[in-house]
Amino acid sequence: MASSEGAPAPSFLPLEAGAAGSSKKRKQRSSSSRILTEFDEQGKRRSSVVYIGRIPHGFYEDQMRGYFSQFGAVTRLRLSRNKKTGKSKHYAFVEFETPEIAQIVAESMNNYLMFGRMLQVKIVPTDQIHPSLWNGANKKFYLPSKTKTNEEMSLERRQRLVEKFARKDKARRTKLQALGYDYPEIEISNLAPTKTRFD
């Protein structure tokens, strides 16, 4: 068996340096590919926002975020609701981390049957994304506060009635004075709401 004591040592690169170099190259390739895919063929920035229409009842913010997170990270989500009743208006906007994810969602989920409804999913162009589109996004919807007592609500209503009566009375007196009638001004201070023991 031949001895290897006099043989020159092979010139191998250190494992750490090779791994570091390869990982650095991978990062450069991934970042360059990401930059390229952010723009379409016309040079316009690709959108990462999708519109989802015909959403069934029961498929709300938490359910939507959990379902669409299987495609990728969801950055913003807004389900349109009625401000008075809180009921869903059956459409929503979802923003994903990258345009690639949004494209996959639009292609795979459009005309998808869910709870008897065919979802309508499409990409929202960047020039159609209004700043107010995300008002209330990523927030749990709460109905208007109902903590006020009935007495407090009635005081507010009485105040509005007093103001409305004052405006009408002023307009009536102006018309009568133009016709030559002296219409006395009605004292309405007694109609104003008074403080209660709850104030």
Side-chain angles (χ1 to χ4, degrees), residues 7 10 14 36 45 67 89 99 106-108 128 138 156 171 178 180 188 193:
L36 289 174
R45 185 175 294 277
Y67 185 84
K89 291 185 177 180
E107 292 175 354
S108 58
Q128 296 182 16
N138 295 344
E156 293 179 2
I188 62 173

Side-chain angles (χ1 to χ4, degrees), residues 3-17:
S3 175
S4 61
E5 291 179 357
S11 57
F12 293 121
L13 289 174
L15 181 60
E16 292 80 5

Side-chain angles (χ1 to χ4, degrees), residues 14-196:
L15 181 60
E16 292 80 5
S22 60
S23 63
K24 185 176 181 181
K25 290 181 180 179
R26 284 197 299 270
K27 289 181 180 178
Q28 290 176 349
R29 287 196 297 268
S30 62
S31 62
S32 61
S33 63
R34 184 164 59 250
I35 293 173
L36 289 174
T37 54
E38 285 182 358
F39 299 90
D40 59 15
E41 296 176 354
Q42 289 75 29
K44 296 181 180 180
R45 185 175 294 277
R46 296 176 62 193
S47 174
S48 57
V49 179
V50 297
Y51 162 85
I52 306 172
R54 303 194 68 185
I55 298 174
H57 281 298
F59 196 53
Y60 302 137
E61 289 89 348
D62 292 341
Q63 293 79 11
M64 292 178 65
R65 183 175 294 276
Y67 185 84
F68 288 108
S69 292
Q70 65 181 320
F71 294 96
V74 175
T75 56
R76 286 186 288 188
L77 184 152
R78 184 178 75 85
L79 173 66
S80 184
R81 290 177 174 270
N82 185 295
K83 292 182 179 180
K84 292 184 178 180
T85 64
K87 292 183 178 180
S88 170
K89 291 185 177 180
H90 307 291
Y91 69 90
F93 297 92
V94 182
E95 181 185 57
F96 293 93
E97 190 175 26
T98 64
E100 292 80 9
I101 299 174
Q103 187 65 37
I104 293 173
V105 171
E107 292 175 354
S108 58
M109 294 302 299
N110 190 40
N111 293 326
Y112 183 84
L113 182 63
M114 178 180 288
F115 301 115
R117 286 178 174 266
M118 298 284 286
L119 295 181
Q120 301 298 309
V121 184
K122 61 182 180 180
I123 298 289
V124 181
T126 54
D127 56 354
Q128 296 182 16
I129 301 176
H130 195 272
S132 62
L133 177 69
W134 301 113
N135 288 350
N138 295 344
K139 294 182 180 179
K140 186 174 180 61
F141 181 84
Y142 292 98
L143 287 171
S145 176
K146 296 182 179 180
T147 57
K148 292 183 178 180
T149 63
N150 292 333
E151 183 134 7
E152 288 175 329
M153 294 296 290
S154 64
L155 291 177
E156 293 179 2
R157 184 171 181 274
R158 285 167 58 187
Q159 182 62 42
R160 290 196 299 268
L161 290 175
V162 168
E163 294 173 355
K164 182 179 180 181
F165 179 83
R167 289 194 301 270
K168 286 189 174 183
D169 183 66
K170 183 178 180 180
R172 185 184 300 110
R173 284 188 290 104
T174 301
K175 289 181 180 180
L176 291 174
Q177 287 175 0
L179 296 174
Y181 293 97
D182 186 13
Y183 184 76
E185 183 177 357
I186 298 178
E187 180 65 36
I188 62 173
S189 59
N190 293 333
L191 297 178
T194 57
K195 289 187 176 182
T196 67

